[in-house]
Amino acid sequence: MNRTSLKCPHCSTSVVRATRFCPGCQSQLCCGAPFRLYALALVGAIVISAACSAALDAAESWTGWLIGLAILMSCWGLLDWLYADRVRFKRRGARGPDA
């Protein structure tokens, strides 16, 4: 996909991909993966790190945290790759049909 210009679904204005707001209707452009997926990856990596750390003896418990860090970096890289072309237009203001 990787287009430099997009069309706003709300007002049909041509929008440059690098902008944050549509110049026609002021809808916010949201690119990439949703924040909650990054937070979920972080929590999952912490849980896996703690479990690996607890399963190893005290002298090697740092290895569990290193495994968790590798998992976290892999998950965030995968999210960046999967959602590289995702662009959402968030409309601000009233939401009713009479607005």
Side-chain angles (χ1 to χ4, degrees):
M1 186 168 150
N2 215 1
R3 296 178 290 183
T4 58
S5 179
L6 303 168
K7 185 177 180 182
C8 178
H10 303 293
C11 66
S12 300
T13 303
S14 181
V15 180
V16 180
R17 190 178 181 93
T19 60
R20 294 185 56 159
F21 295 97
C22 171
C25 64
Q26 300 301 314
S27 293
Q28 181 182 6
L29 271 75
C30 299
C31 299
F35 176 74
R36 65 180 172 265
L37 289 180
Y38 287 108
L40 182 65
L42 177 63
V43 170
I46 290 172
V47 168
I48 291 171
S49 296
C52 289
S53 214
L56 298 170
D57 59 352
E60 296 177 349
S61 65
W62 62 271
T63 308
W65 294 105
L66 192 62
I67 291 169
L69 180 63
I71 290 172
L72 178 65
M73 290 173 50
S74 300
C75 287
W76 281 358
L78 182 64
L79 286 173
D80 286 342
W81 179 70
L82 287 174
Y83 288 92
D85 289 332
R86 179 180 180 259
V87 178
R88 267 190 19 188
F89 287 83
K90 282 177 149 182
R91 190 113 191 219
R92 296 163 48 173
R95 296 180 184 223
D98 52 299

